[in-house]
Amino acid sequence: AEKVTSLGKDWHRPCLRCEKCNKTLTSGGHAEHDGKPYCNHPCYAALFGPKGGCLWRGRGGTEGARGS
């Protein structure tokens, strides 16, 4: 199996997955919280990102601007 290194550990490529949605991640292409990998959007943003006006909170609306 192919090995990838992320979060200071070696992983089998298919084992590096988002803790919330189980999506397969790429080394360096994801976020981390408490040593666990998360996809950047929507999981990390929804769980740990700024609150209020965020487009990634599951509303699907256009309130607020990206990055605000």
Side-chain angles (χ1 to χ4, degrees):
E2 191 174 340
K3 177 179 83 170
V4 293
T5 301
S6 187
L7 306 176
K9 298 187 255 181
D10 291 332
W11 305 74
H12 294 110
R13 183 169 296 283
C15 296
L16 182 58
R17 296 183 168 274
C18 175
E19 283 289 312
K20 178 150 175 59
C21 71
N22 210 33
K23 174 182 167 184
T24 301
L25 305 171
T26 59
S27 180
H30 58 82
E32 175 271 335
H33 186 81
D34 288 338
K36 297 176 183 173
Y38 292 87
C39 58
N40 288 313
H41 294 289
C43 295
Y44 185 86
L47 293 170
F48 310 110
K51 305 296 183 216
C54 179
L55 296 175
W56 294 104
R57 293 183 72 195
R59 293 186 186 145
T62 57
E63 68 280 349
R66 285 191 189 264
S68 65

